[in-house]
């Protein structure tokens, strides 16, 4: 079994400082957070950024500042969000790709998201996917519902691969979408092609059930304040690294040490793909 890749979704677009005082929002705070998470066992950082008022933004220059602060401090893999926040346009959401990050998230389908709808129609998905191919950015397919796997596979069939393997992230427990029951994760993992790599995250109370199921199945895990702000029921985590440390500790007890960022790059075969390559 490969080493465990822990991804930290440390900022998100929906979590507020009021709800989680430890939420990193400035570029320097995000850089320091990523470095502490890396020390605690994380290999990847799923990056959202905030403007001066701590509101979510997809502005390229705000991403650039956060990436610079992360890079000053750590070698963690940076995966920029193309999901952004509810109601953003496709053009806004695409901006961080201009910085040619190592990876970026790509949701392949529309999903109910609490009281809102996270909009990703066929035209948007195709455009995002092809833009990632052109820039040599590895997509992480963010799957909230089962049919989104089929949509991702259709993109690969139509436009060609965007890397030597497919990497998936199952996001379970968003109100309005698939829950984090073990049987749901097992069903999704069963449907992705042989040779894929995958991670998963449980939203809110689903954090630990999804994490433990993933460890049992030999998958990877994502966690952090985008997805869950609590260490225990009613007890806020002090920082993202505290959540990383707990999962790293449990995994070690199961003889599954954490991958370093470079080990994760090898497992995911990052870098084995040139910009503009397809087919
Ligand atoms: N903020 C959510 C609406 C992503 O990063 O790609 C979407 C999201 C997905 O966070
Ligand atoms: Zn996100």
């Amino acid at each position: 079994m490969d080493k465990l890749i822990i991804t930290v979704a440390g900022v998100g677009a929906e979590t507020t400082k009021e709800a989680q005082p430890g939420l990193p929002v400035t570029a320097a705070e995000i850089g320091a957070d990523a470095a502490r998470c890396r020390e605690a066992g994380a290999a990847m950082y799923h990056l959202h950024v905030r403007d001066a008022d701590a509101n979510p933004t997809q502005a390229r220059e705000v991403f650039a500042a956060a990436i610079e602060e992360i890079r000053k401090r750590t070698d963690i893999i940076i995966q920029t969000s193309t999901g952004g926040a509810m109601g953003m346009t496709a053009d806004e959401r695409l901006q961080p790709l201009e910085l040619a990050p190592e990876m970026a998230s790509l949701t392949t389908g529309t999903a109910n998201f609490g009281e809102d709808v996270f909009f990703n129609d066929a035209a948007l998905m195709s455009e995002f996917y092809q833009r990632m191919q052109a820039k040599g950015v590895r997509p992480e397919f963010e799957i909230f519902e089962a049919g989104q796997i089929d949509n991702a596979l259709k993109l690969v069939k139509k436009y060609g691969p965007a890397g030597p393997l497919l990497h998936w992230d199952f996001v379970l427990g968003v109100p309005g979408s698939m829950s984090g029951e073990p049987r749901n994760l097992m069903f999704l993992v069963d449907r992705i092609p042989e040779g894929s790599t995958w991670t998963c995250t449980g939203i809110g109370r689903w954090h630990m059930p999804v994490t433990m199921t993933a460890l049992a199945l030999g998958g990877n895990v994502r966690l952090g304040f985008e997805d869950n702000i609590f260490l225990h029921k009613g007890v806020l985590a002090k920082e993202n690294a505290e959540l990383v440390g707990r999962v790293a500790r449990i995994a070690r007890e199961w003889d599954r040490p954490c991958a370093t960022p470079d080990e994760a790059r090898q497992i995911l075969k990052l870098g084995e793909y040139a910009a503009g390559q397809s087919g």
Side-chain angles (χ1 to χ4, degrees):
M1 204 183 281
D2 281 325
K3 287 186 176 177
L4 174 68
I5 300 172
I6 298 180
T7 298
V8 181
V11 185
E14 289 81 27
T15 307
T16 63
K17 235 357 192 186
E18 289 71 43
Q20 174 40 275
L23 184 77
V25 293
T26 68
E29 285 170 358
I30 293 170
D33 187 65
R36 286 196 299 274
C37 288
R38 198 288 194 214
E39 284 309 302
M44 194 188 302
Y45 204 88
H46 168 75
L47 182 63
H48 286 255
V49 292
R50 303 295 178 100
D51 65 17
D53 298 320
N55 292 317
T57 174
Q58 288 290 103
R60 184 201 314 196
E61 60 278 8
V62 185
F63 268 96
I67 290 170
E68 189 183 334
E69 291 294 328
I70 295 171
R71 278 287 160 264
K72 265 190 218 166
R73 296 170 171 90
T74 176
D75 59 348
I76 202 161
I77 297 166
I78 298 173
Q79 180 203 105
T80 58
S81 168
T82 66
M86 219 54 73
M88 286 179 173
T89 65
D91 283 345
E92 277 178 279
R93 287 168 54 181
L94 280 166
Q95 285 188 67
L97 293 187
E98 295 306 309
L99 301 167
E102 273 185 289
M103 296 187 77
S105 58
L106 173 54
T107 299
T108 46
T110 297
N112 284 329
F113 200 96
E115 301 300 310
D116 287 302
V117 174
F118 181 31
F119 182 80
N120 300 285
D121 70 2
L124 181 147
M125 285 182 250
S126 298
E127 187 186 356
F128 281 33
Y129 185 73
Q130 290 177 88
R131 196 76 80 88
M132 290 185 198
Q133 281 183 314
K135 294 272 175 200
V137 177
R138 173 71 68 79
E140 176 180 271
F141 294 114
E142 286 212 17
I143 305 300
F144 295 70
E145 293 284 0
Q148 296 177 350
I149 295 177
D150 302 277
N151 292 341
L153 295 176
K154 280 183 202 156
L155 289 174
V156 176
K157 191 164 178 206
K158 186 163 180 193
Y159 299 111
L165 56 77
L166 303 180
H167 180 66
W168 307 85
D169 176 25
F170 304 113
V171 182
L172 298 178
V174 170
S177 293
M178 257 178 127
S179 80
E181 287 176 55
R183 62 181 173 168
N184 286 350
L185 182 58
M186 290 168 74
F187 171 75
L188 295 170
V189 170
D190 202 40
R191 295 186 53 79
I192 58 177
E194 194 92 10
S196 295
T197 52
W198 62 273
T199 188
C200 58
T201 185
I203 304 302
R205 71 184 178 88
W206 292 108
H207 165 50
M208 286 309 284
V210 169
T211 297
M212 299 310 288
T213 309
L215 291 180
L217 294 173
N220 300 293
V221 297
R222 178 180 118 169
L223 46 73
F225 293 164
E226 175 169 349
D227 301 338
N228 162 55
I229 58 177
F230 294 103
L231 186 65
H232 296 289
K233 194 172 179 189
V235 180
L236 290 171
K238 288 192 184 62
E239 57 174 342
N240 282 303
E242 197 174 19
L243 295 170
V244 176
R246 171 169 61 182
V247 172
R249 203 163 53 241
I250 294 169
R252 272 197 306 274
E253 291 291 328
W254 281 17
D255 294 324
R256 183 111 188 267
C258 293
T260 64
D262 277 346
E263 287 169 341
R265 286 182 176 95
Q266 278 181 14
I267 294 166
L268 301 173
K269 300 190 195 305
L270 292 181
E272 290 184 24
Y273 190 74
Q277 191 179 325
S278 71

